[in-house]
Amino acid sequence: MDATPTFPQYTVPMALLPNKRVLLGVSGGIAAYKSPDLVRRLREAGAEVRVLMTRAAMEFVTPLTFQAVSGHPVYSELLDEKAEAGMGHIELARWADLVLVAPATADTLARLAQGRADDLLAAACLARRGILAVAPAMNQAMWENPATRGNLRALESAGVTILGPGHGSQACGDEGAGRMLEPAEIAQRAAALFETGGLAGRHVVITAGPTFEPIDPVRGLTNRSSGTMGFAIAEAAVEAGARVTLVSGPVALAAPQRVDCLVRVETAMQMRDAVMAHMPDCDVFIAVAAVADYRPARALPRKIKKDAEQLSLELVRNPDIVAEVAALPRRPFTVGFAAETDQLEQNAQAKLVAKGLDLICANPVGPDTGFGDGATSLLLIDAQGQHPLPLDSKPRLARALVDYLARRLHEKEDSAQDPRSAHRQ
Ligand code: CTP
């Protein structure tokens, strides 16, 4: 007899929803008993989850259960002074990258298809900015009914993703289609909704964070870059199907999931060497790092003592990495950043031209924006003009930037292949 112990067969999802905000809407069907497990799966996959329940859902599972598994209070009332004083219903809908309704009853599907806004779940679906996906769960006769079919067609044509339902025996004793998909499958399919494929098969090299230029063994020159934006762009490029090499200066961030290669460097010279080593097969280069423009001419081998009344540091220019990449004979699609306190547009436009970039992302830096985890905005500038990305979280801006640059890359390649455009090259 085989003595090897056996374990239950279920797949634990890989962390495929890092930095994603999921608003889980639970409506009133018996399958609601599986939704706390779905919360757990989504969180295991890296998402932050907030739960919204209809009144009917509370007949099946208590809000306390969802509060315990999500780690946040549960939302249920549309007109609730306390809740509106915290995260109001519009804010909640906008907060979410994905609104996921699971289970979605026949009645909920009908209400969403009509665009109703008379309870919190319907209002949040209507006011959302991100993706909406529903996991239907109902009796098989309700599922087959032409009224439900019509509602599904209306939802699909409005861009709503329908996950399932599964087929099998039902709580009411019937057999057929209408079972909610299992939580692990919903979590995996929810993660797949973010996989855009816009950079499928491409090698993307990204620089991130500050550089650190040593003065002596204990001191150095650096800046306030946290690396958050570069890491978020690496994540977004992976989701878009790219093989990603991330070259990062010293940051306090964990390695992003599924990045092919993370090279940790300290100085601008090391960053340049690491970048150049990856250029031969690079398709897209995104320079997000705040590279020190100057470094001490000599890094002293011993700690400088406080002997002298005055001290001068001799600094020499560092190489401009993004400009060197843009000047390569076989250059990748090259994207730069311009973090500016003043004259954002003019400074960014000047850098786009001077460094020979395909695209520049102008990033306003103020007392509360620009560096760190907080929300910021970007103005994308290229030969076609300007494309503003309004104030938003860095992960969301990163995804919008990757979508935009993937479109521009494809347009550039199409026009290079078009013989009529040869004279324009
Ligand atoms: N950059 C680079 N290597 C450098 C300096 C900058 O690759 N040595 C890249 C940055 O990663 C960014 C872009 O160039 O994508 C603009 O960086 P920024 O520091 O704003 O521009 P500078 O050219 O350094 O100009 P200044 O500091 O005078 O604003």
Side-chain angles (χ1 to χ4, degrees):
M1 214 182 100
D2 186 0
T4 317
T6 53
F7 296 99
Q9 294 294 304
Y10 61 84
T11 18
V12 176
M14 275 173 63
L16 291 175
L17 287 163
N19 298 320
K20 303 297 180 305
R21 297 157 165 182
V22 179
L23 178 61
L24 176 66
V26 184
S27 64
I30 180 61
Y33 84 90
K34 293 183 181 175
S35 301
D37 187 33
L38 175 58
V39 174
R40 196 175 60 87
R41 304 273 174 175
L42 294 167
R43 292 188 71 190
E44 273 173 10
E48 185 184 346
V49 184
R50 306 234 174 191
V51 180
L52 182 168
M53 299 178 80
T54 63
R55 286 220 186 113
M58 292 186 211
E59 302 290 333
F60 294 92
V61 190
T62 68
L64 198 58
T65 307
F66 284 108
Q67 176 165 334
V69 288
S70 70
H72 294 286
V74 168
Y75 302 84
S76 58
E77 296 300 323
L78 183 57
L79 303 171
D80 174 347
E81 278 172 34
K82 263 206 322 248
E84 292 292 312
M87 199 190 283
H89 66 281
I90 299 290
E91 221 179 314
L92 183 64
R94 289 198 183 143
W95 168 88
D97 298 312
L98 166 67
V99 180
L100 174 61
V101 184
T105 60
D107 182 60
T108 302
L109 294 181
R111 294 160 53 69
L112 297 184
Q114 282 177 18
R116 301 279 288 262
D118 54 357
D119 74 0
L120 186 57
L121 176 58
C125 290
L126 206 56
R128 78 189 188 276
R129 281 210 296 217
I131 305 167
L132 174 59
V134 297
M138 67 199 72
N139 164 269
Q140 54 85 23
M142 288 166 117
W143 173 250
E144 299 298 346
N145 192 292
T148 304
R149 298 272 130 184
N151 292 332
L152 280 162
R153 278 196 298 279
L155 290 170
E156 273 174 325
S157 64
V160 178
T161 302
I162 318 289
L163 302 176
H167 196 279
S169 63
Q170 302 203 296
C172 53
D174 280 5
E175 179 86 19
R179 280 166 62 104
M180 187 171 87
L181 293 181
E182 290 306 315
E185 185 172 355
I186 297 177
Q188 275 177 356
R189 289 177 59 176
L193 297 174
F194 290 94
E195 312 272 319
T196 61
L199 292 174
R202 308 303 178 118
H203 181 202
V204 176
V205 179
I206 299 166
T207 64
T211 61
F212 180 89
E213 311 293 335
I215 295 170
D216 69 17
V218 293
R219 306 179 181 95
L221 299 176
T222 188
N223 59 65
R224 292 180 56 206
S225 169
S226 64
T228 319
M229 184 57 108
F231 276 50
I233 292 172
E235 205 84 75
V238 168
E239 281 169 8
R243 174 164 66 86
V244 174
T245 299
L246 178 59
V247 182
S248 175
V251 293
L253 302 172
Q257 299 279 339
R258 297 187 294 158
V259 157
D260 198 67
C261 173
L262 170 63
V263 188
R264 293 199 187 263
V265 297
E266 203 164 68
T267 66
M269 298 296 275
Q270 291 166 353
M271 187 173 273
R272 195 254 312 251
D273 291 348
V275 165
M276 289 304 165
H278 286 93
M279 280 305 107
D281 67 346
C282 172
D283 300 297
V284 178
F285 176 62
I286 312 174
V288 197
V291 185
D293 292 327
Y294 296 90
R295 67 180 183 277
R298 283 165 302 280
L300 299 173
R302 293 224 151 77
K303 185 180 173 196
I304 303 173
K305 300 304 287 179
K306 196 174 52 190
D307 298 332
E309 210 40 59
Q310 283 195 347
L311 187 69
S312 306
L313 269 181
E314 190 192 343
L315 301 177
V316 293
R317 271 278 279 269
N318 269 329
D320 190 315
I321 304 170
V322 77
E324 283 190 15
V325 167
L328 288 171
R330 187 208 153 275
R331 55 175 272 170
F333 187 91
T334 309
V335 182
F337 265 71
E340 306 286 345
T341 51
D342 307 285
Q343 299 190 307
L344 181 70
E345 238 177 276
Q346 294 88 323
N347 281 329
Q349 181 72 46
K351 283 176 190 175
L352 175 78
V353 176
K355 298 182 189 232
L357 309 177
D358 292 294
L359 172 67
I360 194 152
C361 313
N363 184 200
V365 177
D368 302 320
T369 54
F371 293 115
D373 284 343
T376 190
S377 63
L378 292 178
L379 177 66
L380 311 187
I381 307 176
D382 59 15
Q384 323 245 345
Q386 300 190 351
H387 182 75
L389 300 179
L391 194 71
D392 213 332
S393 71
K394 287 185 176 176
R396 231 167 0 194
L397 286 174
R399 270 174 252 144
L401 163 62
V402 165
D403 279 355
Y404 183 86
L405 83 84
R407 281 205 304 278
R408 286 279 172 265
L409 171 68
H410 295 142
E411 281 167 18
K412 194 176 171 190
E413 288 172 347
D414 289 348
S415 86
Q417 276 167 12
D418 181 353
R420 285 167 304 173
S421 69
H423 67 281
R424 282 189 252 130
Q425 300 300 303

